Every structure is written in structure tokens, then in C-alpha cells.
Amino acid sequence: MNIVLLGPPGAGKGTQASVLSQEYGFLHISTGDMLREAVKKGTPVGKQAKAYMDKGELVPDNIVINIVTERISQKDANCGFLLDGFPRNKKQADQFDQALSKKDKKIDMVLYFKTSPEVSIKRLSGRRVCANCGANFHIETMPAKIKGTCDYCHGPLVHRKDDQRETVENRLVVYKKETKYLIGYYEDKGILKEVSGDFDVEKLFEEIKKLFAKEGLRGAG
Ligand code: AP5
């Protein structure tokens, strides 16, 4: 099964994608993570993407469409993938549908995390990420065991540059202008399912598991 996680910045898409991929064996594809990795490595894609990401703007469509299309062509995507942060506008959605259909694949479900702007802002202002392995924490809801240190690799925890208040506000504007449109787009295709992104991590995970069970998906636990 191929699933898209749709929702505003801070909706909890990345957090749920991690636990869902462990539980159901999906390949987790995050365009944000792939782009941040490219920036870190200083690749040509990273060099082009950096300025857009720092401002909270969308990276040009051709760049992200190429990296996602290339990623889903790899063997490990054949057992189903969870797309986190893509598509983000009509052009990306249309072109991705076309690319999938050439490979006899399709998006089976779009999970929309309906989330209030206040919750998004609170989550992103408190998010801390490991500069080394990229693991996510939150100073209130998911604190690290040792303040400022990653639980997994002991790397330093940092506040993402695009999680600063002004940039978060711009990311929410961009979401409203470009990405919100996709709710109706996938609703019309009959594949949109809604959950509340405002729930805490465990409650949201339970809600998604119930929804997946109705679709015949069984997890490990
Ligand atoms: P990206 O990394 O995709 O950022 P985003 O979509 O804005 O999503 P976030 O990672 O901020 O939020 P999330 O919903 O994953 O929440 P998370 O689980 O981390 O994109 C970054 C940039 O890359 C973009 O601005 C753009 O420039 C570029 N880009 C990426 N994709 C692109 C595309 N397709 N096209 C063009 N450009 C693209 O959680 C957030 C925090 O809340 C964490 O601290 C977490 O611990 C906490 N938390 C999570 N869930 C809960 C919960 N249920 N309750 C309480 N706390 C929670």
C-alpha cells in the first residue's frame, strides 16, 4: 500500500511516519529529510534547495519530483511507501500520479492530519533535532533523557533554522496557499482519510491504527 501523509508543518507527520513504518514495514520517504541531507552534504541539489528551505518556501517542483520519483524506483519501495511532505502542490501531485501510473503504481490512501495553527506553532517552537542523526524531540512533549543530547547517538540537539517563529509563520502561509488545495484534490479521488493532528502522539497512532485496520492493514503489534 502506498500512503501520503498530508498536513501542515508540525502536524506530526514525521513522528507518525517513523512509528508507522516500524509497525507496518512501509518505506518512509521524507522529502524534508532528503533535502536536509543534501544540504548537509553540499550536493548540487542541496545548494539549490538551501535558500528556499531557510525562508520556509517550497523548493522548486522539478527538484523534488525528481528525487521522489528516483527514490520510489528503488527495489525497497515495492512493498509500499509512506510519503511524508510530498506532494505539496497541484503540479507535484499531477506529475507524481503520472510517474506512478507509468510504473503501474498508485497512491492508495492519503492521511490528512487536520491540525490547528496554534498546535503547529507550539510544536515547532519546541522541536529539537539531533544535528547528527536527525532524530526528533520536543522540549515538553518528547524531551530527551539528557537535556540537549540525543537519546540515540548522543549528538547535540539543535533548533531547526526554519523552526524560528517568523519562518514557521511563512511555512504556514505557504501551506495554506499551495498545499491545502490537495485536501479537495484527494477527496475528489475518494482516497482521503482524516485524523486529528491535534491529538498527542500515542492517541494519534491508535487512531491511525484503527483506521488502517478498517482498510484491512495489520501491523506487527
Ligand atoms: P519538512 O521537513 O517536510 O517540514 P514540514 O512539512 O513543514 O513538516 P515538519 O517536519 O515541520 O512537521 P511534521 O508534521 O513532520 O511534524 P513532526 O512529526 O516533525 O520540509 C522542510 C522544508 O523542505 C520545506 O519548508 C521546504 O522548503 C522543503 N520541502 C520539503 N518537501 C518539499 C516538497 N515536497 N516540495 C517543495 N519543498 C519541499 O513534529 C513536530 C514536533 O512536534 C516535534 O518536536 C515532535 O516531537 C512533536 N510532535 C509530533 N507529533 C506530536 C503530537 N501528536 N503531540 C505532541 N507533540 C508532537
Side-chain angles (χ1 to χ4, degrees):
M1 197 151 184
N2 301 321
I3 300 172
V4 165
L5 304 185
L6 177 66
K13 305 179 296 294
T15 303
Q16 294 299 324
S18 282
V19 282
L20 289 169
S21 53
Q22 277 170 32
E23 176 80 15
Y24 294 91
F26 297 117
L27 172 70
H28 175 193
I29 303 176
S30 157
T31 42
D33 287 349
M34 287 195 283
L35 291 167
R36 277 184 289 279
E37 188 62 21
V39 171
K40 203 169 154 187
K41 287 186 175 154
T43 66
V45 163
K47 283 180 184 151
Q48 284 183 74
K50 187 175 185 312
Y52 295 95
M53 296 174 80
D54 285 350
K55 284 188 275 184
E57 296 291 333
L58 293 187
V59 170
D61 295 328
N62 61 325
I63 296 180
V64 275
I65 292 166
N66 283 343
I67 59 173
V68 174
T69 310
E70 200 278 317
R71 187 65 190 88
I72 59 133
S73 304
Q74 294 173 27
K75 249 192 186 163
D76 58 355
N78 287 341
C79 298
F81 53 79
L82 264 185
L83 268 175
D84 160 17
F86 179 92
R88 258 170 146 107
N89 60 23
K90 182 170 177 351
K91 186 173 172 195
Q92 292 181 14
D94 283 339
Q95 293 205 3
F96 188 56
D97 277 348
Q98 287 166 22
L100 282 174
S101 92
K102 281 188 196 149
K103 295 175 195 300
D104 278 330
K105 291 182 180 180
K106 63 179 172 59
I107 295 169
D108 301 291
M109 188 197 295
V110 174
L111 209 50
Y112 165 47
F113 290 45
K114 188 175 183 187
T115 313
S116 59
E118 299 74 35
V119 167
S120 286
I121 290 169
K122 198 160 177 236
R123 288 196 189 147
L124 298 183
S125 61
R127 169 163 57 187
R128 297 295 179 268
V129 292
C130 176
N132 188 31
C133 73
N136 246 321
F137 297 87
H138 189 279
I139 50 172
E140 285 170 16
T141 57
M142 286 171 65
K145 287 179 193 137
I146 303 168
K147 198 179 168 196
T149 304
C150 177
D151 289 356
Y152 310 103
C153 74
H154 306 293
L157 301 186
V158 296
H159 196 198
R160 249 168 65 176
K161 194 170 176 192
D162 65 343
D163 280 349
Q164 307 293 337
R165 178 85 191 207
E166 254 181 36
T167 317
V168 167
E169 279 169 7
N170 190 41
R171 285 162 65 195
L172 288 169
V173 169
V174 171
Y175 171 77
K176 258 191 176 169
K177 205 170 82 188
E178 303 256 359
T179 313
K180 240 184 152 179
Y181 162 85
L182 296 178
I183 300 167
Y185 176 92
Y186 288 120
E187 206 164 31
D188 290 348
K189 290 180 185 280
I191 55 173
L192 190 91
K193 305 279 173 197
E194 184 179 305
V195 287
S196 172
D198 287 355
F199 285 151
D200 66 31
V201 176
E202 289 73 24
K203 167 100 173 132
L204 182 51
F205 185 47
E206 288 309 315
E207 289 301 304
I208 297 172
K209 283 206 292 190
K210 274 189 221 157
L211 202 148
F212 278 8
K214 278 192 204 154
E215 300 295 316
L217 270 174
R218 299 273 169 262

